[in-house]
Amino acid sequence: MKNKYLQLFLISNILIILDQFTKYLVALHIPQNMSIRIIDSFFNLTHIRNPGVAFGLFADSDLEIKATLFIVFSGIAIIAILVFFHETPSHKKIALRGLILIFAGAIGNLIDRILYKEVIDFLDIHFGSYHWPAFNVADSCITIGVLFMFIDIIKDGTAPQKRPQDPTSESA
């Protein structure tokens, strides 16, 4: 696919549907705060509701408008992602894929915040006594997308910059 906007639409929609479908299945088949052991001492499916942000930050906050603030901040972040996507040249494939993943993850979690005022997490990884906070497909998309962005920066050796202006369009 050559059109980066078509890629954004198709790939992000597939990922958003996958995220929402897996959350639906978890909510339907696993009671909240219960787990199903998949791989002993490593991986469970656990139905957790996260009213906070990443890793449960601010989950215990009693601020009444917390959910609304998270929705507004998510909306602002999504607009920023779309601006970065638009400004990223088509030849920067890794960066574009990263932005698509981040966009899809942000939309997936925003849907939960709008519908439930919290995010459904269910992927539960642990090694011995170390326990990673539960996460979901949207969180995975965001994490992998950020990794792609770092790879793009390292590959190019520079941070993203604005496109150079056409020297013929400058006024004297």
Side-chain angles (χ1 to χ4, degrees):
M1 278 185 284
K2 292 192 181 222
N3 185 325
K4 70 181 190 177
Y5 299 101
L6 181 60
Q7 291 177 36
L8 172 68
F9 178 77
L10 292 176
I11 295 169
S12 66
N13 276 302
I14 290 167
L15 293 170
I16 292 164
I17 290 167
L18 177 64
D19 175 65
Q20 291 299 301
F21 183 67
T22 55
K23 290 172 180 175
Y24 168 77
L25 289 175
V26 166
L28 185 64
H29 295 291
I30 303 173
Q32 195 168 339
N33 299 318
M34 298 298 291
S35 294
I36 297 173
R37 184 177 304 136
I38 305 298
I39 301 173
D40 279 338
S41 301
F42 179 69
F43 179 63
N44 298 329
L45 292 176
T46 303
H47 182 174
I48 301 289
R49 299 288 178 121
N50 178 5
V53 291
F55 309 115
L57 294 174
F58 306 114
D60 295 331
S61 171
D62 289 333
L63 187 61
E64 287 184 27
I65 62 168
K66 176 176 64 173
T68 304
L69 286 174
F70 289 161
I71 289 169
V72 169
F73 289 139
S74 295
I76 292 168
I78 288 165
I79 291 168
I81 292 163
L82 290 173
V83 169
F84 287 131
F85 186 83
H86 177 73
E87 293 293 322
T88 302
S90 294
H91 72 274
K92 295 185 65 67
K93 303 286 187 210
I94 297 171
L96 290 171
R97 296 303 186 283
L99 289 166
I100 290 170
L101 287 166
I102 295 167
F103 174 77
I107 293 289
N109 282 338
L110 177 62
I111 291 169
D112 281 17
R113 292 205 184 282
I114 291 169
L115 294 177
Y116 314 116
K117 297 191 181 345
E118 55 194 1
V119 174
I120 298 172
D121 289 327
F122 59 92
L123 300 169
D124 183 18
I125 295 177
H126 47 93
F127 301 101
S129 64
Y130 179 74
H131 195 261
W132 189 257
F135 57 100
N136 57 44
V137 172
D139 297 334
S140 299
C141 288
I142 293 168
T143 302
I144 295 167
V146 169
L147 178 65
F148 279 17
M149 298 300 293
F150 281 127
I151 289 170
D152 181 71
I153 290 169
I154 291 168
K155 185 179 125 231
D156 286 353
T158 60
Q161 298 175 358
K162 283 192 144 198
R163 290 188 236 168
Q165 290 185 344
D166 182 3
T168 59
S169 67
E170 293 180 21
S171 55

